[in-house]
Amino acid sequence: MERTNPKDMAKAFRFAPLRRACFRLSVTRMDQLPADDGAEVAIAGRSNVGKSSVLNLLTGHGGLARVSRTPGRTQAINVFDLDPGQRLMDLPGYGYAKVPDALRLSWGGLMEEYLKRRRSLRLLLLVMDIRHPLGPFDLALLDFARHCGRPVHALLNKADKLSRGAALQVLARCRRDPALEGVGTQCFSAQSGEGLEDLHRLLARTYEKETPVETGAKSEPSKGGEGSGPGQGGKSQDRNATTAGFE
């Protein structure tokens, strides 16, 4: 897709607290997390989809989340403070085969407990590679988030790798997929900045609301990014869903 004009990016809306993001701590157990109050947005995705690059672009800090040539580097929940009572949570990357089985099992358990129990979680951002969306691990996470009643917004990252027409075709196909029913979905590029303004606007609404963002909305394509309404899947078809798919 076309690269976003730097001049347009300079004029674009930015949610200021994201620019004040700073690393607080990494946790491997729920009891290590900060007090469960205020508002949190969590970012998740399969290893190698560019999750760290998305986080760095979103906050405007190039080195905030370490970008590694080795997928699966995030092995804990990394907590970033924004303004008082606002946090951005970087969840463990999933699905990388070379990570030891025991470690993958612990990630799945931690993510499951976080998604089930964290009262301050307002929105889950799911990052997927636009060239390979809705893999088995993505579907497992979507199903579990639906089971927990968590609003989800999907980013089809690496849109710069496709032509605009091809990217919009993938977006349309994803929006028709039952797995993303009621889930806000947009094209995004951590390299070009495509979709960044829409994402900032979404997060501004999310952090500023006293309750989780309204679910099921889907916006029409806009200048900053396509289909950027927040959403949550419909009722779970499997009330015994777990994050076993991450293991």
Side-chain angles (χ1 to χ4, degrees):
M1 299 182 74
E2 297 92 339
R3 189 173 184 85
T4 302
N5 190 313
K7 292 183 179 180
D8 291 338
M9 290 185 67
K11 299 175 184 177
F13 171 82
R14 296 291 181 266
F15 181 52
L18 286 168
R19 299 298 189 174
R20 296 190 279 274
C22 62
F23 175 76
R24 180 170 179 176
L25 79 165
S26 294
V27 306
T28 55
R29 302 193 316 268
M30 287 292 293
D31 59 8
Q32 297 172 327
L33 285 168
D36 196 1
D37 52 28
E40 292 177 355
V41 170
I43 182 169
R46 184 181 172 90
S47 300
N48 75 17
V49 297
K51 181 164 64 77
S52 294
S53 296
V54 169
L55 196 154
N56 288 338
L57 178 67
L58 184 61
T59 59
H61 297 293
L64 188 67
R66 183 176 299 176
V67 179
S68 173
R69 293 181 181 274
T70 304
R73 187 67 179 259
T74 306
Q75 301 174 2
I77 295 179
N78 294 319
V79 182
F80 300 93
D81 284 332
L82 307 182
D83 280 358
Q86 299 175 340
R87 293 174 297 276
L88 187 60
M89 317 293 278
D90 183 17
L91 302 184
Y94 51 83
Y96 186 56
K98 293 185 179 180
V99 173
D101 289 344
L103 191 55
R104 284 192 291 153
L105 286 168
S106 70
W107 290 356
L110 179 62
M111 290 178 68
E112 179 176 333
E113 287 303 301
Y114 177 79
L115 292 173
K116 284 198 305 186
R117 294 169 46 191
R118 195 68 175 169
R119 294 187 303 273
S120 53
L121 177 60
R122 300 281 183 84
L123 180 68
L124 177 65
L125 290 178
L126 173 60
V127 182
M128 297 184 286
D129 187 327
I130 194 170
R131 300 166 297 180
H132 313 289
L134 296 174
F137 296 100
D138 303 318
L139 294 173
L141 180 57
L142 284 165
D143 186 62
F144 190 73
R146 182 179 297 116
H147 168 68
C148 296
R150 298 297 190 182
V152 178
H153 184 77
L155 299 179
L156 300 177
N157 191 33
K158 303 188 180 182
D160 56 288
K161 302 293 186 182
L162 301 179
S163 68
R164 181 172 179 79
L168 291 177
Q169 285 182 358
V170 175
L171 174 65
R173 186 166 65 248
C174 285
R175 292 171 76 177
R176 291 193 301 267
D177 195 296
L180 288 173
E181 182 180 358
V183 173
T185 306
Q186 71 172 100
C187 292
F188 194 86
S189 171
Q191 294 300 313
S192 71
E194 176 75 23
L196 182 60
E197 180 174 7
D198 281 347
L199 185 55
H200 268 267
R201 292 188 183 279
L202 168 64
L203 295 184
R205 296 194 301 270
T206 301
Y207 280 112
E208 291 169 357
K209 279 183 175 288
E210 294 184 359
T211 55
V213 290
E214 213 172 292
T215 62
K218 285 188 178 181
S219 69
E220 292 302 314
S222 61
K223 184 177 180 180
E226 293 78 12
S228 58
Q232 172 192 327
K235 294 181 180 179
S236 174
Q237 300 301 311
D238 179 9
R239 300 306 297 173
N240 296 314
T242 69
T243 52
F246 304 154
E247 298 166 6

PDB file of all heavy atoms in Angstrom, residues 22-27 32-34 77-81:
ATOM      1  N   CYS A  22       6.210   4.549  29.310  1.00  0.00           N
ATOM      2  CA  CYS A  22       7.517   4.156  29.856  1.00  0.00           C
ATOM      3  C   CYS A  22       7.390   2.763  30.457  1.00  0.00           C
ATOM      4  O   CYS A  22       6.348   2.402  31.009  1.00  0.00           O
ATOM      5  CB  CYS A  22       8.016   5.162  30.885  1.00  0.00           C
ATOM      6  SG  CYS A  22       6.972   5.333  32.334  1.00  0.00           S
ATOM      7  N   PHE A  23       8.443   1.994  30.313  1.00  0.00           N
ATOM      8  CA  PHE A  23       8.441   0.623  30.818  1.00  0.00           C
ATOM      9  C   PHE A  23       8.366   0.630  32.336  1.00  0.00           C
ATOM     10  O   PHE A  23       9.072   1.384  33.010  1.00  0.00           O
ATOM     11  CB  PHE A  23       9.705  -0.103  30.360  1.00  0.00           C
ATOM     12  CG  PHE A  23       9.841  -1.482  30.930  1.00  0.00           C
ATOM     13  CD1 PHE A  23       9.074  -2.526  30.438  1.00  0.00           C
ATOM     14  CD2 PHE A  23      10.723  -1.734  31.969  1.00  0.00           C
ATOM     15  CE1 PHE A  23       9.184  -3.803  30.963  1.00  0.00           C
ATOM     16  CE2 PHE A  23      10.850  -3.004  32.502  1.00  0.00           C
ATOM     17  CZ  PHE A  23      10.083  -4.046  32.000  1.00  0.00           C
ATOM     18  N   ARG A  24       7.499  -0.230  32.863  1.00  0.00           N
ATOM     19  CA  ARG A  24       7.367  -0.344  34.323  1.00  0.00           C
ATOM     20  C   ARG A  24       7.955  -1.642  34.854  1.00  0.00           C
ATOM     21  O   ARG A  24       8.811  -1.630  35.717  1.00  0.00           O
ATOM     22  CB  ARG A  24       5.899  -0.234  34.726  1.00  0.00           C
ATOM     23  CG  ARG A  24       5.658  -0.354  36.237  1.00  0.00           C
ATOM     24  CD  ARG A  24       4.239  -0.001  36.581  1.00  0.00           C
ATOM     25  NE  ARG A  24       3.975  -0.121  38.009  1.00  0.00           N
ATOM     26  CZ  ARG A  24       2.819   0.206  38.571  1.00  0.00           C
ATOM     27  NH1 ARG A  24       1.835   0.677  37.821  1.00  0.00           N
ATOM     28  NH2 ARG A  24       2.645   0.064  39.869  1.00  0.00           N
ATOM     29  N   LEU A  25       7.487  -2.780  34.353  1.00  0.00           N
ATOM     30  CA  LEU A  25       8.006  -4.069  34.808  1.00  0.00           C
ATOM     31  C   LEU A  25       7.535  -5.177  33.894  1.00  0.00           C
ATOM     32  O   LEU A  25       6.626  -4.997  33.079  1.00  0.00           O
ATOM     33  CB  LEU A  25       7.577  -4.361  36.245  1.00  0.00           C
ATOM     34  CG  LEU A  25       6.139  -4.885  36.491  1.00  0.00           C
ATOM     35  CD1 LEU A  25       6.033  -5.458  37.899  1.00  0.00           C
ATOM     36  CD2 LEU A  25       5.105  -3.796  36.303  1.00  0.00           C
ATOM     37  N   SER A  26       8.170  -6.351  34.028  1.00  0.00           N
ATOM     38  CA  SER A  26       7.755  -7.571  33.346  1.00  0.00           C
ATOM     39  C   SER A  26       7.287  -8.556  34.405  1.00  0.00           C
ATOM     40  O   SER A  26       7.900  -8.669  35.475  1.00  0.00           O
ATOM     41  CB  SER A  26       8.910  -8.191  32.558  1.00  0.00           C
ATOM     42  OG  SER A  26       9.303  -7.363  31.484  1.00  0.00           O
ATOM     43  N   VAL A  27       6.215  -9.273  34.106  1.00  0.00           N
ATOM     44  CA  VAL A  27       5.678 -10.211  35.087  1.00  0.00           C
ATOM     45  C   VAL A  27       5.474 -11.570  34.448  1.00  0.00           C
ATOM     46  O   VAL A  27       5.163 -11.685  33.256  1.00  0.00           O
ATOM     47  CB  VAL A  27       4.347  -9.706  35.689  1.00  0.00           C
ATOM     48  CG1 VAL A  27       4.509  -8.301  36.264  1.00  0.00           C
ATOM     49  CG2 VAL A  27       3.232  -9.718  34.664  1.00  0.00           C
ATOM     50  N   GLN A  32       2.058 -10.531  40.311  1.00  0.00           N
ATOM     51  CA  GLN A  32       3.098  -9.521  40.122  1.00  0.00           C
ATOM     52  C   GLN A  32       2.576  -8.284  39.384  1.00  0.00           C
ATOM     53  O   GLN A  32       3.280  -7.273  39.306  1.00  0.00           O
ATOM     54  CB  GLN A  32       4.261 -10.117  39.325  1.00  0.00           C
ATOM     55  CG  GLN A  32       4.969 -11.272  40.026  1.00  0.00           C
ATOM     56  CD  GLN A  32       5.986 -11.957  39.119  1.00  0.00           C
ATOM     57  OE1 GLN A  32       5.791 -12.047  37.902  1.00  0.00           O
ATOM     58  NE2 GLN A  32       7.063 -12.438  39.700  1.00  0.00           N
ATOM     59  N   LEU A  33       1.370  -8.356  38.864  1.00  0.00           N
ATOM     60  CA  LEU A  33       0.811  -7.250  38.098  1.00  0.00           C
ATOM     61  C   LEU A  33       0.498  -6.051  38.994  1.00  0.00           C
ATOM     62  O   LEU A  33       0.267  -6.207  40.197  1.00  0.00           O
ATOM     63  CB  LEU A  33      -0.478  -7.685  37.398  1.00  0.00           C
ATOM     64  CG  LEU A  33      -0.317  -8.585  36.180  1.00  0.00           C
ATOM     65  CD1 LEU A  33      -1.665  -9.164  35.777  1.00  0.00           C
ATOM     66  CD2 LEU A  33       0.305  -7.820  35.010  1.00  0.00           C
ATOM     67  N   PRO A  34       0.460  -4.847  38.428  1.00  0.00           N
ATOM     68  CA  PRO A  34       0.048  -3.676  39.206  1.00  0.00           C
ATOM     69  C   PRO A  34      -1.389  -3.842  39.694  1.00  0.00           C
ATOM     70  O   PRO A  34      -2.126  -4.710  39.223  1.00  0.00           O
ATOM     71  CB  PRO A  34       0.149  -2.520  38.196  1.00  0.00           C
ATOM     72  CG  PRO A  34       1.054  -3.018  37.127  1.00  0.00           C
ATOM     73  CD  PRO A  34       0.844  -4.492  37.049  1.00  0.00           C
ATOM     74  N   ILE A  77       4.479 -10.797  30.473  1.00  0.00           N
ATOM     75  CA  ILE A  77       3.657  -9.617  30.210  1.00  0.00           C
ATOM     76  C   ILE A  77       4.487  -8.391  30.555  1.00  0.00           C
ATOM     77  O   ILE A  77       4.909  -8.231  31.704  1.00  0.00           O
ATOM     78  CB  ILE A  77       2.363  -9.631  31.041  1.00  0.00           C
ATOM     79  CG1 ILE A  77       1.477 -10.799  30.623  1.00  0.00           C
ATOM     80  CG2 ILE A  77       1.602  -8.306  30.866  1.00  0.00           C
ATOM     81  CD1 ILE A  77       0.179 -10.906  31.422  1.00  0.00           C
ATOM     82  N   ASN A  78       4.758  -7.547  29.572  1.00  0.00           N
ATOM     83  CA  ASN A  78       5.496  -6.313  29.809  1.00  0.00           C
ATOM     84  C   ASN A  78       4.509  -5.181  30.035  1.00  0.00           C
ATOM     85  O   ASN A  78       3.603  -4.970  29.229  1.00  0.00           O
ATOM     86  CB  ASN A  78       6.406  -5.995  28.621  1.00  0.00           C
ATOM     87  CG  ASN A  78       7.503  -7.018  28.457  1.00  0.00           C
ATOM     88  OD1 ASN A  78       8.091  -7.473  29.433  1.00  0.00           O
ATOM     89  ND2 ASN A  78       7.785  -7.410  27.224  1.00  0.00           N
ATOM     90  N   VAL A  79       4.689  -4.462  31.129  1.00  0.00           N
ATOM     91  CA  VAL A  79       3.755  -3.414  31.534  1.00  0.00           C
ATOM     92  C   VAL A  79       4.375  -2.046  31.250  1.00  0.00           C
ATOM     93  O   VAL A  79       5.499  -1.768  31.687  1.00  0.00           O
ATOM     94  CB  VAL A  79       3.419  -3.529  33.032  1.00  0.00           C
ATOM     95  CG1 VAL A  79       2.407  -2.458  33.440  1.00  0.00           C
ATOM     96  CG2 VAL A  79       2.896  -4.924  33.359  1.00  0.00           C
ATOM     97  N   PHE A  80       3.629  -1.208  30.534  1.00  0.00           N
ATOM     98  CA  PHE A  80       4.071   0.149  30.235  1.00  0.00           C
ATOM     99  C   PHE A  80       3.064   1.131  30.826  1.00  0.00           C
ATOM    100  O   PHE A  80       1.854   1.009  30.588  1.00  0.00           O
ATOM    101  CB  PHE A  80       4.189   0.368  28.723  1.00  0.00           C
ATOM    102  CG  PHE A  80       5.167  -0.562  28.060  1.00  0.00           C
ATOM    103  CD1 PHE A  80       4.741  -1.767  27.517  1.00  0.00           C
ATOM    104  CD2 PHE A  80       6.509  -0.230  27.978  1.00  0.00           C
ATOM    105  CE1 PHE A  80       5.639  -2.631  26.908  1.00  0.00           C
ATOM    106  CE2 PHE A  80       7.421  -1.091  27.371  1.00  0.00           C
ATOM    107  CZ  PHE A  80       6.984  -2.288  26.834  1.00  0.00           C
ATOM    108  N   ASP A  81       3.542   2.074  31.603  1.00  0.00           N
ATOM    109  CA  ASP A  81       2.686   3.111  32.165  1.00  0.00           C
ATOM    110  C   ASP A  81       2.500   4.243  31.171  1.00  0.00           C
ATOM    111  O   ASP A  81       3.452   4.651  30.491  1.00  0.00           O
ATOM    112  CB  ASP A  81       3.297   3.676  33.450  1.00  0.00           C
ATOM    113  CG  ASP A  81       3.132   2.744  34.636  1.00  0.00           C
ATOM    114  OD1 ASP A  81       2.156   1.967  34.651  1.00  0.00           O
ATOM    115  OD2 ASP A  81       3.977   2.803  35.553  1.00  0.00           O
TER     116      ASP A  81
END
